[in-house]
Amino acid sequence: ACTKKNTMGSDPNAEIPEWMGIDFRELQCIMYEFNCAVVLSLIYCCLPHMPGYFAPLALGLSMGGAVENGAEFGGGMANPIFVMARYLRGELRGVAAFRYAALLVVGTIWGATLAGMIYGFKVNAYPVKADGVSEVSTFFAELLYSFGFTLVYLVVTKRREVSGAKYAGAAVGAFYTAATIVPAVGVANPALACLALVNGLNGASGFVDHLETSWMFFAGPVAGALLASK
C-alpha cells in the first residue's frame, strides 16, 4: 500500500531503516491506518450522544480526512472494503492486505473500548437493522452504498487522470456523509459491524445472536466492494 520513496530525510535515495523486518515507511502506514480506524470507530460509537444533524457530517469528515491525509502513505484506506478492492486489483499482496484488514478491525474494537470508557458500553452505537426494514432490503442498501463508496475511492485515489487532485478526501467524505444520513443503513464498513462485540450486547453470546439479524452489515459491504473492484 505504501510507496517506497524515502520522505524521512533529505536524501530520497537513502536506505529506509527497518524494524523487525518492516521498514519504517511501512510501519508509518500501518500506524496511520490503525489510528484512522480508532478515530472512525470512536465517532461512530458516540453517535447517540451527538445532535442528529451532526452525526453524518462527523463520519464523513473523519473518513474524508483519513483518505486525504493518508494519500502519501498509499491512499489512506481506513476501511476493510478498500483493502479488499485494492487486493483484488493487484495493488496489495495477500499478506499485506490481511495485515491491514486485521489492524482495521482491531483499531475499530479499540475505538469502541475508548468510547465505552467515556459513555458506557450499553449506550453506544453499533449497526442494527431499522424497524420495519427487511433484512434483504438492508443487505441491498449496504451493497449499493458500498459499491458506490468503493468506486468513488478507487476513482479519486487511483485513476491517473484524477489521483493527484486535491478533492479525493472531499469526494469520499461527501459520499459517506450522504450515505449515513439514512438511519441504520449506509454503514459500508464490515469492521464497524464488529462493534456489537463490545457495545449494547452481552459479550460473545449476544454477538452471535445479533449476527442472525445483522449479517447484512458484513455481507453487503463485501459484495459491494467485490462488484466495484471488477
Side-chain angles (χ1 to χ4, degrees), residues 35-230:
N35 289 332
C36 286
V38 172
V39 171
L40 184 63
S41 173
L42 184 60
I43 293 173
Y44 188 93
C45 290
C46 295
L47 291 183
H49 316 291
M50 299 180 187
Y53 61 85
F54 182 72
L57 182 61
L59 286 172
L61 286 172
S62 62
M63 193 67 228
V67 171
E68 188 66 39
N69 295 322
E72 67 170 297
F73 303 128
M77 293 172 286
N79 189 325
I81 63 175
F82 295 165
V83 176
M84 184 179 71
R86 294 184 62 180
Y87 167 71
L88 292 174
R89 289 196 167 193
E91 298 169 7
L92 279 177
R93 293 177 291 108
V95 173
F98 176 80
R99 182 172 61 210
Y100 279 114
L103 277 169
L104 290 173
V105 172
V106 172
T108 298
I109 298 298
W110 178 238
T113 302
L114 294 176
M117 294 177 183
I118 299 172
Y119 289 109
F121 295 102
K122 292 292 185 182
V123 295
N124 287 339
Y126 60 92
V128 63
K129 181 176 69 68
D131 294 336
V133 180
S134 70
E135 294 180 14
V136 174
S137 297
T138 302
F139 167 78
F140 280 107
E142 284 294 312
L143 186 155
L144 179 63
Y145 284 130
S146 299
F147 171 79
F149 196 26
T150 305
L151 197 61
V152 168
Y153 171 82
L154 291 173
V155 168
V156 299
T157 61
K158 289 296 155 192
R159 285 203 176 174
R160 185 177 303 171
E161 61 269 26
V162 294
S163 61
K166 297 297 184 183
Y167 56 77
V172 171
F175 187 95
Y176 202 46
T177 297
T180 51
I181 288 175
V182 182
V185 294
V187 176
N189 187 335
L192 290 178
C194 297
L195 292 177
L197 278 171
V198 290
N199 290 343
L201 299 173
N202 296 317
S205 60
F207 180 66
V208 171
D209 294 337
H210 172 74
L211 284 179
E212 296 179 3
T213 56
S214 297
W215 56 268
M216 48 279 186
F217 294 112
F218 293 97
V222 170
L226 280 171
L227 292 175
S229 303
K230 300 301 183 181

